[in-house]
Amino acid sequence: GDSADECFGRIVAEATQLLKASDKDTATLLKRAKAYLHLGKWEQSLADFVAAAELLDGEEREEPLAYAKTLREELQARASGAQAEPAAGAPAPAAAAAAVVATPGLSQLADIEKKVGNAHYLQKQYALALKHYTLSINLEPNMATSFCNRAATLWCLSADMEVGSMRFIDNTIKGINDCTRAIELDSNYLKAVLRRAQLYLRLLMYRRAKEDFKCAMHLHEEAHVNVPQSILREFRKVSMLDEATMTWDYNRLRMPSKQTLTHLRGDPAFAKLMEEPLLCEALERIKQEPRLIPCMLQSHTLRPLLCELMSMIAPDFIKQLEKEEKWCDKKRR
């Protein structure tokens, strides 16, 4: 098949023909701008993004504006590099400039997408930031910062979700997975470790948050840097919360006794409750991770369903959890 350069070259040629008939076709302008970007023709790409932004209104113009800002900064950095005094044996400035404008590699394009994501993040345009961090990861799956930045975006997106809801939990788990990937790529990535600790706290998973705060303290010590008081405070608080909740067996809700299940099978109220799609979805998640129960109990929609189920399966379970909740709320203040 054709090479990537040939495909993008064909896109540029086709778009240019279409734009001769209508130079205000923003979809075609954006298509050509992105093709130019992949071909390393960043000045032409910038011109098309600027032209598209001038034609668009409202939220639609935010994406081309972010691309334009990022490309402007990259071109300025190139110009500064080309004007610098060449070292002995280095190519002449003209040759150096020609080398820079060669077709960019995937990692270079990934870096552009990450920077576009950063521009959207700073403007609190989190949905667009998420899109571009994902594009960056798809282009270069070994860039730790893109994973960590996407986790921060997922954190911000979940701020408007109902705490404890399935959407809230799914978003937070995605953020945790992104932080984990960033740490796998760079084991000394302190920001990713602290971000994951905060995400675990959102799910009330104190043991795992405690482990990450401990890791953050260790990274400071390895670098011969004093551990910030904020991290020490969080570690002490999470340690207390973990100690209060570590002894309760959450598996009891996941795996009720055979005697209990035999008794409930003929109960119409139990049968009706188990037809609730939201409860079924929650129970599937509890099978994978029982310690999500306290977080789910924060949800106004899930709590009544879970409490009703607990009252049937393990009446003492809900009493213990309520006791834990009160104690933890007091310590979190």
Side-chain angles (χ1 to χ4, degrees), residues 65-83:
L65 282 175
Y67 270 115
K69 176 182 179 293
T70 303
L71 285 171
R72 230 178 247 115
E73 289 169 356
E74 291 297 309
L75 287 165
Q76 285 169 359
R78 278 182 177 181
S80 300
Q83 288 165 10

Side-chain angles (χ1 to χ4, degrees), residues 35-84:
Y36 276 140
L37 177 65
H38 281 265
L39 289 168
K41 297 181 177 180
W42 289 1
E43 281 143 355
Q44 294 95 319
S45 180
L46 172 60
D48 277 354
F49 279 123
V50 169
E54 288 171 353
L55 292 168
L56 292 165
D57 295 315
E59 292 182 1
E60 288 186 332
R61 70 195 302 260
E62 297 300 341
E63 191 167 27
L65 282 175
Y67 270 115
K69 176 182 179 293
T70 303
L71 285 171
R72 230 178 247 115
E73 289 169 356
E74 291 297 309
L75 287 165
Q76 285 169 359
R78 278 182 177 181
S80 300
Q83 288 165 10

Side-chain angles (χ1 to χ4, degrees), residues 256-301:
S257 68
K258 287 181 181 178
Q259 185 179 356
T260 302
L261 282 175
T262 303
H263 171 71
L264 289 171
R265 279 195 183 105
D267 185 343
F270 178 74
K272 185 179 178 182
L273 183 63
M274 294 308 292
E275 289 173 3
E276 288 283 348
L278 188 60
L279 179 62
C280 293
E281 187 182 355
L283 290 174
E284 280 300 312
R285 194 56 58 86
I286 289 167
K287 282 181 186 175
Q288 300 164 24
E289 180 48 80
R291 280 200 168 263
L292 285 172
I293 296 168
C295 181
M296 289 178 179
L297 286 171
Q298 295 182 99
S299 163
H300 300 303
T301 49

Side-chain angles (χ1 to χ4, degrees), residues 11 49 52 68-69 96 107 115 118 137 172-173 190 205 227 232 237 246 263 276 285 288 309 312-313 316 326 329-330:
I11 290 169
F49 279 123
K69 176 182 179 293
S107 60
K115 288 173 180 174
N118 292 346
I137 288 165
T172 306
I173 289 172
L190 178 63
M205 291 184 173
V227 180
L232 291 171
K237 184 167 70 173
M246 66 187 291
H263 171 71
E276 288 283 348
R285 194 56 58 86
Q288 300 164 24
L309 179 65
M312 295 177 179
I313 291 177
D316 56 335
K326 286 177 185 174
D329 283 343
K330 184 179 176 183

Side-chain angles (χ1 to χ4, degrees), residues 189-199 213 216 220 231:
Y189 199 168
L190 178 63
K191 188 183 283 187
V193 172
L194 287 172
R195 189 158 285 157
R196 188 172 68 176
Q198 294 296 343
L199 286 161
F213 281 123
H220 277 88
I231 294 178

Side-chain angles (χ1 to χ4, degrees), residues 121 124-127 129-130 133 146-163 167-179 191-205 209 212-213 234:
Y121 184 88
K124 299 184 179 179
Q125 296 156 358
Y126 300 124
L130 184 70
Y133 290 139
S146 294
F147 283 100
C148 191
N149 291 0
R150 188 168 70 173
T153 307
L154 288 163
W155 167 285
C156 295
L157 282 169
S158 64
D160 296 328
M161 297 175 187
E162 182 194 357
V163 175
R167 280 184 68 222
F168 176 90
I169 288 169
D170 286 344
N171 232 45
T172 306
I173 289 172
K174 285 176 185 174
I176 287 169
N177 292 340
D178 275 353
C179 287
K191 188 183 283 187
V193 172
L194 287 172
R195 189 158 285 157
R196 188 172 68 176
Q198 294 296 343
L199 286 161
Y200 276 135
L201 277 180
R202 274 200 166 178
L203 296 181
L204 308 185
M205 291 184 173
D212 276 346
F213 281 123
E234 287 290 338

